[in-house]
Amino acid sequence: AAPGKVDPASGGKGGAAAPALLASQPRHITLEDGFLTEQLAANLRGTFDRKFAEPRSTGTDRFCWDYWHVPDQYTLVRTPADAYFDEPDFAALTEALTDFGQRTLGCNAITQPWLSYYVDGCEQRMHTDSWHGPFAYVLSLTPWETRQFRGGETFILEPALLDYWRGVDP
């Protein structure tokens, strides 16, 4: 770099970049099978199953869901995870998310986790959540091996298409 200029590959110190940094490849997507312990995943899914086990139940915890519709973006039913799960399971979930973010992604905190479910007519169209931060995640509690529906998969755009969102006004 010219005198008084910093070479961006040097990490801002004016010297050569570390070989590991130069050799690193960006990761567009990371899949983590077994992200939660089997016990915690079973507890979280069990909470959902218990709360919806009796269709005629009038318990207040069945009425904490918000129908969320943003035209051309989302139609789903959602609730804050902290209002849904018991405190120990919610704490274990947020600890797992935060630990992963710190250890793997270099993040120091997470935003509030939400739960969502989809019934006929619900959808997520192509959209961006980029104003929430640089990373997003989907943590599915669906028992995929025994599911009795089609759909629910997440699709991810290739990095070359990310400029598509530059003009989006959330």
Side-chain angles (χ1 to χ4, degrees):
K5 301 283 183 177
V6 174
D7 177 2
S10 71
K13 296 187 169 100
L21 176 62
L22 292 175
S24 68
Q25 295 294 312
R27 288 184 299 162
H28 181 61
I29 185 169
T30 299
L31 300 175
E32 291 286 327
D33 285 332
F35 175 77
L36 299 177
T37 66
E38 285 186 31
Q39 184 61 55
L40 178 56
N43 288 356
L44 297 172
R45 179 62 202 204
T47 297
F48 183 86
D49 290 342
R50 276 190 311 281
K51 290 184 179 188
F52 282 91
E54 179 50 55
R56 289 185 172 83
S57 170
T58 57
T60 57
D61 54 355
R62 285 184 55 102
F63 295 95
C64 66
W65 294 90
D66 170 47
Y67 175 78
W68 192 35
H69 175 71
V70 177
D72 300 320
Q73 290 188 23
Y74 321 96
T75 303
L76 56 104
V77 186
R78 67 183 185 161
T79 192
D82 65 340
Y84 196 75
F85 294 121
D86 63 28
E87 192 172 325
D89 286 341
F90 179 74
L93 171 62
T94 56
E95 181 179 339
L97 291 167
T98 303
D99 286 351
F100 179 82
Q102 290 173 345
R103 182 181 66 255
T104 307
L105 305 173
C107 299
N108 66 351
I110 61 170
T111 57
Q112 176 179 351
W114 286 79
L115 304 175
S116 58
Y117 71 83
Y118 302 78
V119 293
D120 286 343
C122 289
E123 64 180 347
Q124 283 200 27
R125 293 188 183 183
M126 286 179 48
H127 68 278
T128 181
D129 291 329
S130 61
W131 52 87
H132 295 297
F135 300 105
Y137 66 91
V138 173
L139 175 65
S140 178
L141 298 175
T142 299
W144 287 99
E145 299 78 25
T146 59
R147 70 181 173 149
Q148 297 178 6
F149 62 88
R150 285 186 349 166
E153 296 83 7
T154 299
F155 69 92
I156 305 292
L157 295 176
E158 290 292 325
L161 295 176
L162 292 178
D163 264 356
Y164 177 86
W165 302 112
R166 190 173 304 278
V168 171
D169 182 14

